[in-house]
Amino acid sequence: MTSRPIRIAPSILSADFSRLGAEVDAIVQGGADYIHVDIMDGHFVPNITFGAQVMASVRKLTTLPFDVHLMIAPADPYIPGFAKAGADIITVHAEAGPHLHRSLQLIKAEGKKAGVAINPATPVSVLEHVIADVDLVLVMSVNPGFGGQSFIPESLNKLRQAHALIGNRPIDLEVDGGITPDNARAVADAGANVFVAGSSVYGGNDPTTYAPRIAAIRAAATSRTA
C-alpha cells in the first residue's frame, strides 16, 4: 500500500469535446486532484487527440496540476510546446524513443516534473537506470490509444514491481486504464497513488455524475479491510 496521498486524475480524453471547457470545470468542481491530458499522434498509438494549443485554451480555467501524457513518437520536439502551454507534469513513454534519459533532461530543463510511462508488455526493469531522474512512473493497465478498455490483471504485479523499485524515493506511481471503484482498492494495495480515470468518470458526459464517481474511486482506493 502506498504511503503517498491518493490523487484522482480524470482524463479529458473521455470528455465531450464540444464543451471541453465546461467539462474541465465540472471535474474541478467534482473533486479532481489532477487534470490528465492524453496526447495521441496516430503513429505511436492508433488514435489522434489534440495538441498544445487546445490544452492551453483550457489551462486558464483551473490551477489544478495538468498531468500531460505524451503518447507520441518522437516526443522530444513537442516537450517545450506542452511546457509552455501549461503542463505541470510531462510523461513520455519509455518505448517512444532511443534516448529516454535525454527526454527526461529536456522536461526538467523546462522546469516541469518528469514522468515515464510503460506499456503492458514493457518490463519495469527499463526504469532501473533512470529512476533517480523521474518524479512519476505511469504503468499502463491497458494498451494505449483508446478509452473504455478493461483493466489488464497482470498490471497489479507490475505495479508491485514498480513500487518496489521506487522504494522511499519521492516518486508518484500512476496507473492508467480501466480504473473503477471495483479495482481501485487492489490497485492502491499494489502501490499506486495516482489514478487516471476516463470513462469511469466521464461516461455518459453528465456533469452531475462526476463528483460522486470521483468520490467513489477515492473511497475505494483509501478503504481498509477490517
Side-chain angles (χ1 to χ4, degrees), residues 11 21 31 43 67 88 94 98 106 147-148 215:
S11 169
H43 168 68
D67 173 25
D88 296 284
L106 179 56

Side-chain angles (χ1 to χ4, degrees), residues 97-176:
H99 305 295
L100 179 57
H101 185 261
R102 180 179 294 163
S103 299
L104 296 172
Q105 287 180 311
L106 179 56
I107 296 169
K108 295 284 194 177
E110 293 290 340
K112 308 300 180 180
K113 291 186 176 181
V116 178
I118 53 174
N119 285 332
T122 300
V124 172
S125 59
V126 302
L127 304 173
E128 289 178 0
H129 300 293
V130 297
I131 193 66
D133 300 296
V134 305
D135 302 291
L136 178 146
V137 170
L138 170 53
V139 171
M140 292 300 301
S141 46
V142 298
N143 288 297
F146 298 97
Q149 300 181 71
S150 297
F151 183 87
I152 297 172
E154 172 59 21
S155 304
L156 292 174
N157 189 42
K158 288 186 70 176
L159 286 166
R160 295 184 194 102
Q161 293 172 5
H163 187 247
L165 177 62
I166 289 169
N168 294 323
R169 298 178 179 89
I171 297 172
D172 286 319
L173 180 54
E174 185 172 54
V175 61
D176 184 355

